[in-house]
Amino acid sequence: MRENSQRDTFIFYRSFKESMNELSDADKLIMYEAISDYSLDMKEPELTGFPKALFSIIRPIIDANWQRYNNGCKGGAPKGNKNNRFSKSTTEVQPKVNQSTTEVQPKVNQSTTEVQPKVNQSTTEVQPKVNQSTTEVQPKYKLIYNDNVNDNKNKNIEKEKIIKEKSLSLSDRTKKFKEELTPFVEKYGKDMIFAFFDYWSEPDKAKNKMRCEMQKTWSTAGRLRTWERRNNEKR
């Protein structure tokens, strides 16, 4: 369990926004709330359907930011952490420089000959450690790049899925739509689900598309919430 469960700011990456471009406005709002609550207060979101799957991809990035935030609250990287090597190398270099200065004072002529190797040696020892620490930081940036690659792959999979579904016959798509509503029966009741299905599965005059397929955007979970709210308003 993390020692700190609240903070005032968090990082919102471009990949988060781009991964939500295909969502409906209602689902986008749900995702923004889920990311904000988890990033600021470690509040576990209650999600279903595609928003739940999308958040499972985003969550490891937020967890990594939480880890860095907690390390910073403790005063930096813990002992033994690779990120602590740079500060250690700086501490080790200082005594060598001071020591060379102390040895120079008794002999002026000799100091010129003896000092040069020590200064050069200390510089040689420092460089690999600085470069090494810089190299070790790179994977953190690669993590964000890899997340963008994964988001693009997920988008391609969704597009292939949509194309495959459109190739099905109207009756097969209607049956699939009905099966998609089955998990919501327990939450909304059979009567509401049947009414919802009858309305949105109605085909056009050419018998090519259902009413739900003619919408610019579609989220079954979001449409069900709107349907329930309007039913309650009519009562």
Side-chain angles (χ1 to χ4, degrees), residues 54-183:
L54 182 58
F55 186 80
S56 67
I57 299 174
I58 295 175
R59 179 171 182 161
I61 303 175
I62 302 176
D63 286 341
N65 287 336
W66 263 110
Q67 184 63 47
R68 289 194 289 272
Y69 172 77
N70 284 325
N71 288 340
C73 291
K74 296 176 183 178
K79 293 181 178 180
N81 190 292
K82 294 179 179 180
N83 294 329
N84 201 24
R85 293 180 181 176
F86 179 79
S87 59
K88 182 178 179 182
S89 65
T90 304
T91 303
E92 290 175 348
V93 170
Q94 299 304 324
K96 294 182 181 181
V97 176
N98 294 334
Q99 182 179 4
S100 64
T101 304
T102 303
E103 292 176 0
V104 168
Q105 299 303 324
K107 298 178 182 181
V108 176
N109 295 332
Q110 184 179 0
S111 64
T112 305
T113 304
E114 291 179 354
V115 168
Q116 297 305 322
K118 293 185 178 181
V119 174
N120 293 335
Q121 182 180 3
S122 64
T123 304
T124 303
E125 291 176 356
V126 171
Q127 295 304 323
K129 294 183 179 180
V130 174
N131 293 335
Q132 182 179 3
S133 64
T134 304
T135 304
E136 291 174 354
V137 172
Q138 298 305 319
K140 296 181 181 179
Y141 296 96
K142 289 183 179 179
L143 174 62
I144 301 173
Y145 173 77
N146 291 335
D147 290 333
N148 291 332
V149 173
N150 290 334
D151 290 339
N152 292 333
K153 288 182 179 179
N154 291 334
K155 288 181 181 180
N156 291 334
I157 292 174
E158 287 297 322
K159 290 180 180 179
E160 291 176 359
K161 182 178 178 182
I162 293 172
I163 294 173
K164 184 177 180 180
E165 290 180 353
K166 288 183 178 181
S167 65
L168 297 175
S169 64
L170 178 62
S171 61
D172 289 337
R173 297 199 308 276
T174 303
K175 182 179 179 180
K176 184 176 179 63
F177 179 50
K178 187 174 183 180
E179 293 173 351
E180 183 182 347
L181 294 173
T182 301

